[in-house]
PDB file of all heavy atoms in Angstrom:
ATOM      1  N   MET A  87      12.462  69.989 -45.636  1.00  0.00           N
ATOM      2  CA  MET A  87      12.578  69.885 -44.101  1.00  0.00           C
ATOM      3  C   MET A  87      12.806  68.455 -43.820  1.00  0.00           C
ATOM      4  O   MET A  87      12.421  67.500 -44.528  1.00  0.00           O
ATOM      5  CB  MET A  87      11.552  70.558 -43.357  1.00  0.00           C
ATOM      6  CG  MET A  87      10.200  69.963 -43.413  1.00  0.00           C
ATOM      7  SD  MET A  87       8.908  70.665 -42.399  1.00  0.00           S
ATOM      8  CE  MET A  87       9.508  70.541 -40.759  1.00  0.00           C
ATOM      9  N   ALA A  88      13.236  68.209 -42.574  1.00  0.00           N
ATOM     10  CA  ALA A  88      13.417  66.791 -42.049  1.00  0.00           C
ATOM     11  C   ALA A  88      12.834  66.862 -40.641  1.00  0.00           C
ATOM     12  O   ALA A  88      12.859  67.795 -39.937  1.00  0.00           O
ATOM     13  CB  ALA A  88      14.863  66.463 -41.948  1.00  0.00           C
ATOM     14  N   ILE A  89      12.242  65.606 -40.411  1.00  0.00           N
ATOM     15  CA  ILE A  89      11.736  65.306 -39.086  1.00  0.00           C
ATOM     16  C   ILE A  89      12.178  63.922 -38.778  1.00  0.00           C
ATOM     17  O   ILE A  89      11.866  62.904 -39.646  1.00  0.00           O
ATOM     18  CB  ILE A  89      10.139  65.375 -39.047  1.00  0.00           C
ATOM     19  CG1 ILE A  89       9.638  66.749 -39.378  1.00  0.00           C
ATOM     20  CG2 ILE A  89       9.615  64.969 -37.671  1.00  0.00           C
ATOM     21  CD1 ILE A  89       8.192  66.987 -39.437  1.00  0.00           C
ATOM     22  N   LYS A  90      12.785  63.770 -37.772  1.00  0.00           N
ATOM     23  CA  LYS A  90      13.386  62.529 -37.323  1.00  0.00           C
ATOM     24  C   LYS A  90      14.201  61.744 -38.434  1.00  0.00           C
ATOM     25  O   LYS A  90      13.959  60.678 -38.836  1.00  0.00           O
ATOM     26  CB  LYS A  90      12.284  61.503 -36.816  1.00  0.00           C
ATOM     27  CG  LYS A  90      11.684  61.999 -35.501  1.00  0.00           C
ATOM     28  CD  LYS A  90      10.781  61.010 -34.779  1.00  0.00           C
ATOM     29  CE  LYS A  90       9.939  60.112 -35.683  1.00  0.00           C
ATOM     30  NZ  LYS A  90       8.951  59.507 -34.803  1.00  0.00           N
ATOM     31  N   TYR A 103       6.555  77.575 -45.671  1.00  0.00           N
ATOM     32  CA  TYR A 103       8.003  77.081 -45.482  1.00  0.00           C
ATOM     33  C   TYR A 103       9.016  77.887 -46.373  1.00  0.00           C
ATOM     34  O   TYR A 103      10.176  77.785 -46.092  1.00  0.00           O
ATOM     35  CB  TYR A 103       8.185  75.697 -45.808  1.00  0.00           C
ATOM     36  CG  TYR A 103       7.417  74.828 -44.854  1.00  0.00           C
ATOM     37  CD1 TYR A 103       6.155  74.272 -45.268  1.00  0.00           C
ATOM     38  CD2 TYR A 103       7.878  74.496 -43.561  1.00  0.00           C
ATOM     39  CE1 TYR A 103       5.427  73.546 -44.217  1.00  0.00           C
ATOM     40  CE2 TYR A 103       7.199  73.696 -42.722  1.00  0.00           C
ATOM     41  CZ  TYR A 103       6.008  73.197 -42.937  1.00  0.00           C
ATOM     42  OH  TYR A 103       5.274  72.467 -42.120  1.00  0.00           O
ATOM     43  N   TYR A 109       6.932  79.181 -41.066  1.00  0.00           N
ATOM     44  CA  TYR A 109       7.758  78.014 -40.712  1.00  0.00           C
ATOM     45  C   TYR A 109       8.967  77.862 -41.485  1.00  0.00           C
ATOM     46  O   TYR A 109       9.693  76.925 -41.605  1.00  0.00           O
ATOM     47  CB  TYR A 109       6.858  76.697 -40.957  1.00  0.00           C
ATOM     48  CG  TYR A 109       5.710  76.573 -40.137  1.00  0.00           C
ATOM     49  CD1 TYR A 109       4.391  76.263 -40.860  1.00  0.00           C
ATOM     50  CD2 TYR A 109       5.586  76.834 -38.804  1.00  0.00           C
ATOM     51  CE1 TYR A 109       3.256  76.135 -40.082  1.00  0.00           C
ATOM     52  CE2 TYR A 109       4.444  76.725 -38.088  1.00  0.00           C
ATOM     53  CZ  TYR A 109       3.316  76.461 -38.823  1.00  0.00           C
ATOM     54  OH  TYR A 109       2.146  76.384 -38.041  1.00  0.00           O
ATOM     55  N   PHE A 112      12.211  76.197 -40.286  1.00  0.00           N
ATOM     56  CA  PHE A 112      12.343  74.712 -40.304  1.00  0.00           C
ATOM     57  C   PHE A 112      12.950  74.112 -41.436  1.00  0.00           C
ATOM     58  O   PHE A 112      13.135  72.902 -41.538  1.00  0.00           O
ATOM     59  CB  PHE A 112      11.187  74.090 -39.852  1.00  0.00           C
ATOM     60  CG  PHE A 112      10.588  74.501 -38.370  1.00  0.00           C
ATOM     61  CD1 PHE A 112       9.336  75.079 -38.375  1.00  0.00           C
ATOM     62  CD2 PHE A 112      11.337  74.314 -37.301  1.00  0.00           C
ATOM     63  CE1 PHE A 112       8.922  75.477 -37.068  1.00  0.00           C
ATOM     64  CE2 PHE A 112      10.842  74.709 -36.107  1.00  0.00           C
ATOM     65  CZ  PHE A 112       9.678  75.283 -35.877  1.00  0.00           C
ATOM     66  N   LYS A 115      17.013  71.962 -42.521  1.00  0.00           N
ATOM     67  CA  LYS A 115      17.578  71.288 -41.400  1.00  0.00           C
ATOM     68  C   LYS A 115      16.583  70.338 -40.676  1.00  0.00           C
ATOM     69  O   LYS A 115      15.441  70.323 -41.019  1.00  0.00           O
ATOM     70  CB  LYS A 115      18.028  72.301 -40.194  1.00  0.00           C
ATOM     71  CG  LYS A 115      19.220  73.000 -40.674  1.00  0.00           C
ATOM     72  CD  LYS A 115      19.769  73.853 -39.451  1.00  0.00           C
ATOM     73  CE  LYS A 115      21.035  74.571 -39.985  1.00  0.00           C
ATOM     74  NZ  LYS A 115      21.643  75.293 -38.903  1.00  0.00           N
ATOM     75  N   ASP A 116      17.079  69.467 -39.867  1.00  0.00           N
ATOM     76  CA  ASP A 116      16.229  68.579 -39.157  1.00  0.00           C
ATOM     77  C   ASP A 116      16.045  69.335 -37.724  1.00  0.00           C
ATOM     78  O   ASP A 116      16.842  69.412 -36.892  1.00  0.00           O
ATOM     79  CB  ASP A 116      16.813  67.225 -38.940  1.00  0.00           C
ATOM     80  CG  ASP A 116      15.919  66.180 -38.195  1.00  0.00           C
ATOM     81  OD1 ASP A 116      15.011  66.663 -37.532  1.00  0.00           O
ATOM     82  OD2 ASP A 116      16.141  64.959 -38.428  1.00  0.00           O
ATOM     83  N   TYR A 117      14.839  69.933 -37.512  1.00  0.00           N
ATOM     84  CA  TYR A 117      14.474  70.523 -36.312  1.00  0.00           C
ATOM     85  C   TYR A 117      13.477  69.909 -35.474  1.00  0.00           C
ATOM     86  O   TYR A 117      12.551  70.390 -34.926  1.00  0.00           O
ATOM     87  CB  TYR A 117      14.002  71.942 -36.494  1.00  0.00           C
ATOM     88  CG  TYR A 117      15.151  72.971 -37.002  1.00  0.00           C
ATOM     89  CD1 TYR A 117      14.987  73.623 -38.109  1.00  0.00           C
ATOM     90  CD2 TYR A 117      16.210  73.103 -36.197  1.00  0.00           C
ATOM     91  CE1 TYR A 117      15.927  74.550 -38.655  1.00  0.00           C
ATOM     92  CE2 TYR A 117      17.140  74.003 -36.640  1.00  0.00           C
ATOM     93  CZ  TYR A 117      17.040  74.714 -37.871  1.00  0.00           C
ATOM     94  OH  TYR A 117      18.040  75.638 -38.192  1.00  0.00           O
ATOM     95  N   SER A 118      13.686  68.533 -35.344  1.00  0.00           N
ATOM     96  CA  SER A 118      12.619  67.638 -34.763  1.00  0.00           C
ATOM     97  C   SER A 118      12.420  68.073 -33.237  1.00  0.00           C
ATOM     98  O   SER A 118      11.355  68.122 -32.840  1.00  0.00           O
ATOM     99  CB  SER A 118      13.115  66.179 -34.853  1.00  0.00           C
ATOM    100  OG  SER A 118      13.149  65.793 -36.081  1.00  0.00           O
ATOM    101  N   ARG A 119      13.457  68.392 -32.537  1.00  0.00           N
ATOM    102  CA  ARG A 119      13.329  68.715 -31.190  1.00  0.00           C
ATOM    103  C   ARG A 119      12.512  70.082 -31.017  1.00  0.00           C
ATOM    104  O   ARG A 119      11.636  70.162 -30.157  1.00  0.00           O
ATOM    105  CB  ARG A 119      14.744  68.853 -30.516  1.00  0.00           C
ATOM    106  CG  ARG A 119      14.680  69.123 -28.992  1.00  0.00           C
ATOM    107  CD  ARG A 119      16.038  69.119 -28.224  1.00  0.00           C
ATOM    108  NE  ARG A 119      15.984  68.775 -26.944  1.00  0.00           N
ATOM    109  CZ  ARG A 119      15.818  67.646 -26.368  1.00  0.00           C
ATOM    110  NH1 ARG A 119      15.783  66.654 -27.312  1.00  0.00           N
ATOM    111  NH2 ARG A 119      15.717  67.393 -25.132  1.00  0.00           N
ATOM    112  N   ALA A 120      12.883  70.971 -31.824  1.00  0.00           N
ATOM    113  CA  ALA A 120      12.140  72.290 -31.831  1.00  0.00           C
ATOM    114  C   ALA A 120      10.751  72.062 -32.127  1.00  0.00           C
ATOM    115  O   ALA A 120       9.742  72.726 -31.373  1.00  0.00           O
ATOM    116  CB  ALA A 120      12.736  73.290 -32.744  1.00  0.00           C
ATOM    117  N   LEU A 121      10.348  71.231 -33.049  1.00  0.00           N
ATOM    118  CA  LEU A 121       8.961  70.986 -33.529  1.00  0.00           C
ATOM    119  C   LEU A 121       8.187  70.330 -32.216  1.00  0.00           C
ATOM    120  O   LEU A 121       7.036  70.621 -31.786  1.00  0.00           O
ATOM    121  CB  LEU A 121       8.849  70.206 -34.600  1.00  0.00           C
ATOM    122  CG  LEU A 121       9.119  70.779 -36.013  1.00  0.00           C
ATOM    123  CD1 LEU A 121       9.337  69.809 -37.088  1.00  0.00           C
ATOM    124  CD2 LEU A 121       8.229  71.938 -36.301  1.00  0.00           C
ATOM    125  N   ALA A 122       8.906  69.390 -31.626  1.00  0.00           N
ATOM    126  CA  ALA A 122       8.301  68.607 -30.572  1.00  0.00           C
ATOM    127  C   ALA A 122       8.022  69.395 -29.292  1.00  0.00           C
ATOM    128  O   ALA A 122       6.954  69.303 -28.695  1.00  0.00           O
ATOM    129  CB  ALA A 122       9.180  67.349 -30.242  1.00  0.00           C
ATOM    130  N   LYS A 123       8.970  70.362 -29.036  1.00  0.00           N
ATOM    131  CA  LYS A 123       8.749  71.220 -27.804  1.00  0.00           C
ATOM    132  C   LYS A 123       8.112  72.547 -28.200  1.00  0.00           C
ATOM    133  O   LYS A 123       7.812  73.277 -27.264  1.00  0.00           O
ATOM    134  CB  LYS A 123      10.269  71.490 -27.205  1.00  0.00           C
ATOM    135  CG  LYS A 123      10.909  70.273 -26.728  1.00  0.00           C
ATOM    136  CD  LYS A 123      12.280  70.449 -26.263  1.00  0.00           C
ATOM    137  CE  LYS A 123      12.526  71.154 -24.950  1.00  0.00           C
ATOM    138  NZ  LYS A 123      12.030  70.539 -23.703  1.00  0.00           N
ATOM    139  N   MET A 124       7.853  72.716 -29.469  1.00  0.00           N
ATOM    140  CA  MET A 124       7.250  74.059 -29.883  1.00  0.00           C
ATOM    141  C   MET A 124       8.037  75.133 -29.379  1.00  0.00           C
ATOM    142  O   MET A 124       7.605  75.996 -28.792  1.00  0.00           O
ATOM    143  CB  MET A 124       5.787  74.016 -29.408  1.00  0.00           C
ATOM    144  CG  MET A 124       4.869  72.982 -29.932  1.00  0.00           C
ATOM    145  SD  MET A 124       4.791  72.888 -31.608  1.00  0.00           S
ATOM    146  CE  MET A 124       3.517  74.108 -32.036  1.00  0.00           C
ATOM    147  N   SER A 125       9.387  75.074 -29.609  1.00  0.00           N
ATOM    148  CA  SER A 125      10.364  75.951 -29.134  1.00  0.00           C
ATOM    149  C   SER A 125      11.253  76.522 -30.260  1.00  0.00           C
ATOM    150  O   SER A 125      11.520  75.866 -31.151  1.00  0.00           O
ATOM    151  CB  SER A 125      11.193  75.194 -28.107  1.00  0.00           C
ATOM    152  OG  SER A 125      12.431  75.986 -27.800  1.00  0.00           O
ATOM    153  N   PHE A 126      11.538  77.873 -30.062  1.00  0.00           N
ATOM    154  CA  PHE A 126      12.526  78.481 -30.944  1.00  0.00           C
ATOM    155  C   PHE A 126      13.829  78.776 -30.235  1.00  0.00           C
ATOM    156  O   PHE A 126      14.683  79.498 -30.793  1.00  0.00           O
ATOM    157  CB  PHE A 126      11.929  79.721 -31.516  1.00  0.00           C
ATOM    158  CG  PHE A 126      10.719  79.530 -32.372  1.00  0.00           C
ATOM    159  CD1 PHE A 126       9.474  79.736 -31.959  1.00  0.00           C
ATOM    160  CD2 PHE A 126      10.875  79.102 -33.689  1.00  0.00           C
ATOM    161  CE1 PHE A 126       8.310  79.610 -32.749  1.00  0.00           C
ATOM    162  CE2 PHE A 126       9.766  78.776 -34.601  1.00  0.00           C
ATOM    163  CZ  PHE A 126       8.601  79.074 -34.049  1.00  0.00           C
ATOM    164  N   ASP A 130      17.287  74.069 -28.712  1.00  0.00           N
ATOM    165  CA  ASP A 130      16.223  73.105 -29.202  1.00  0.00           C
ATOM    166  C   ASP A 130      16.251  72.984 -30.740  1.00  0.00           C
ATOM    167  O   ASP A 130      15.578  72.167 -31.339  1.00  0.00           O
ATOM    168  CB  ASP A 130      14.894  73.511 -28.800  1.00  0.00           C
ATOM    169  CG  ASP A 130      14.659  73.350 -27.263  1.00  0.00           C
ATOM    170  OD1 ASP A 130      15.296  72.458 -26.657  1.00  0.00           O
ATOM    171  OD2 ASP A 130      13.958  74.048 -26.627  1.00  0.00           O
ATOM    172  N   LEU A 131      17.111  73.832 -31.476  1.00  0.00           N
ATOM    173  CA  LEU A 131      16.965  73.805 -32.925  1.00  0.00           C
ATOM    174  C   LEU A 131      18.014  72.713 -33.370  1.00  0.00           C
ATOM    175  O   LEU A 131      19.110  72.843 -33.891  1.00  0.00           O
ATOM    176  CB  LEU A 131      17.479  75.081 -33.486  1.00  0.00           C
ATOM    177  CG  LEU A 131      16.509  76.404 -33.093  1.00  0.00           C
ATOM    178  CD1 LEU A 131      17.114  77.648 -33.639  1.00  0.00           C
ATOM    179  CD2 LEU A 131      15.174  76.026 -33.622  1.00  0.00           C
ATOM    180  N   THR A 132      17.508  71.398 -33.156  1.00  0.00           N
ATOM    181  CA  THR A 132      18.353  70.310 -33.476  1.00  0.00           C
ATOM    182  C   THR A 132      17.492  69.216 -33.831  1.00  0.00           C
ATOM    183  O   THR A 132      16.201  69.085 -33.522  1.00  0.00           O
ATOM    184  CB  THR A 132      19.208  69.970 -32.392  1.00  0.00           C
ATOM    185  OG1 THR A 132      20.036  68.720 -32.707  1.00  0.00           O
ATOM    186  CG2 THR A 132      18.432  69.661 -31.012  1.00  0.00           C
ATOM    187  N   LEU A 138      12.876  63.477 -24.811  1.00  0.00           N
ATOM    188  CA  LEU A 138      11.644  64.164 -24.895  1.00  0.00           C
ATOM    189  C   LEU A 138      10.504  63.450 -24.107  1.00  0.00           C
ATOM    190  O   LEU A 138      10.527  62.156 -24.031  1.00  0.00           O
ATOM    191  CB  LEU A 138      11.201  64.256 -26.432  1.00  0.00           C
ATOM    192  CG  LEU A 138      12.102  65.125 -27.271  1.00  0.00           C
ATOM    193  CD1 LEU A 138      11.538  65.088 -28.750  1.00  0.00           C
ATOM    194  CD2 LEU A 138      11.941  66.571 -26.832  1.00  0.00           C
ATOM    195  N   GLU A 142       5.548  65.283 -25.894  1.00  0.00           N
ATOM    196  CA  GLU A 142       6.409  65.990 -26.909  1.00  0.00           C
ATOM    197  C   GLU A 142       6.588  65.124 -28.174  1.00  0.00           C
ATOM    198  O   GLU A 142       6.465  65.479 -29.276  1.00  0.00           O
ATOM    199  CB  GLU A 142       7.714  66.485 -26.277  1.00  0.00           C
ATOM    200  CG  GLU A 142       7.612  67.544 -25.325  1.00  0.00           C
ATOM    201  CD  GLU A 142       8.855  67.808 -24.560  1.00  0.00           C
ATOM    202  OE1 GLU A 142       9.560  66.911 -24.306  1.00  0.00           O
ATOM    203  OE2 GLU A 142       9.117  69.017 -24.151  1.00  0.00           O
ATOM    204  N   ALA A 145       3.501  65.296 -30.156  1.00  0.00           N
ATOM    205  CA  ALA A 145       3.306  66.432 -30.842  1.00  0.00           C
ATOM    206  C   ALA A 145       4.236  66.244 -32.083  1.00  0.00           C
ATOM    207  O   ALA A 145       3.798  66.856 -33.229  1.00  0.00           O
ATOM    208  CB  ALA A 145       3.795  67.594 -29.961  1.00  0.00           C
ATOM    209  N   LEU A 146       5.411  65.794 -31.982  1.00  0.00           N
ATOM    210  CA  LEU A 146       6.301  65.546 -33.072  1.00  0.00           C
ATOM    211  C   LEU A 146       5.606  64.581 -34.133  1.00  0.00           C
ATOM    212  O   LEU A 146       5.686  64.866 -35.380  1.00  0.00           O
ATOM    213  CB  LEU A 146       7.623  64.985 -32.674  1.00  0.00           C
ATOM    214  CG  LEU A 146       8.615  64.875 -33.707  1.00  0.00           C
ATOM    215  CD1 LEU A 146       9.032  66.081 -34.404  1.00  0.00           C
ATOM    216  CD2 LEU A 146       9.950  64.277 -33.150  1.00  0.00           C
ATOM    217  N   GLN A 147       4.986  63.496 -33.618  1.00  0.00           N
ATOM    218  CA  GLN A 147       4.232  62.594 -34.462  1.00  0.00           C
ATOM    219  C   GLN A 147       3.118  63.358 -35.301  1.00  0.00           C
ATOM    220  O   GLN A 147       2.933  63.104 -36.439  1.00  0.00           O
ATOM    221  CB  GLN A 147       3.610  61.566 -33.679  1.00  0.00           C
ATOM    222  CG  GLN A 147       2.966  60.334 -34.488  1.00  0.00           C
ATOM    223  CD  GLN A 147       3.927  59.494 -35.096  1.00  0.00           C
ATOM    224  OE1 GLN A 147       5.144  59.358 -34.687  1.00  0.00           O
ATOM    225  NE2 GLN A 147       3.709  59.124 -36.413  1.00  0.00           N
ATOM    226  N   TRP A 149       3.185  66.539 -36.199  1.00  0.00           N
ATOM    227  CA  TRP A 149       3.868  67.189 -37.245  1.00  0.00           C
ATOM    228  C   TRP A 149       4.307  66.306 -38.478  1.00  0.00           C
ATOM    229  O   TRP A 149       4.096  66.765 -39.597  1.00  0.00           O
ATOM    230  CB  TRP A 149       5.176  67.829 -36.653  1.00  0.00           C
ATOM    231  CG  TRP A 149       5.025  69.148 -36.134  1.00  0.00           C
ATOM    232  CD1 TRP A 149       4.929  69.427 -34.658  1.00  0.00           C
ATOM    233  CD2 TRP A 149       4.837  70.441 -36.729  1.00  0.00           C
ATOM    234  NE1 TRP A 149       4.814  70.735 -34.474  1.00  0.00           N
ATOM    235  CE2 TRP A 149       4.701  71.415 -35.671  1.00  0.00           C
ATOM    236  CE3 TRP A 149       4.786  70.848 -38.052  1.00  0.00           C
ATOM    237  CZ2 TRP A 149       4.437  72.795 -35.921  1.00  0.00           C
ATOM    238  CZ3 TRP A 149       4.559  72.281 -38.301  1.00  0.00           C
ATOM    239  CH2 TRP A 149       4.381  73.057 -37.207  1.00  0.00           C
ATOM    240  N   GLU A 150       4.598  65.144 -38.040  1.00  0.00           N
ATOM    241  CA  GLU A 150       4.922  64.075 -39.141  1.00  0.00           C
ATOM    242  C   GLU A 150       3.758  63.791 -40.029  1.00  0.00           C
ATOM    243  O   GLU A 150       3.845  63.776 -41.374  1.00  0.00           O
ATOM    244  CB  GLU A 150       5.528  62.860 -38.606  1.00  0.00           C
ATOM    245  CG  GLU A 150       6.938  62.791 -38.203  1.00  0.00           C
ATOM    246  CD  GLU A 150       7.449  61.456 -37.983  1.00  0.00           C
ATOM    247  OE1 GLU A 150       7.172  60.912 -36.883  1.00  0.00           O
ATOM    248  OE2 GLU A 150       8.171  60.908 -38.770  1.00  0.00           O
TER     249      GLU A 150
END
Side-chain angles (χ1 to χ4, degrees):
M87 70 178 295
I89 299 175
K90 296 189 328 190
Y103 296 96
Y109 302 131
F112 298 121
K115 290 191 177 176
D116 187 336
Y117 287 128
S118 298
R119 184 174 204 81
L121 289 170
K123 296 176 77 68
M124 301 300 279
S125 168
F126 293 104
D130 293 325
L131 297 176
T132 178
L138 290 177
E142 292 170 330
L146 185 58
Q147 186 71 33
W149 276 102
E150 279 189 286

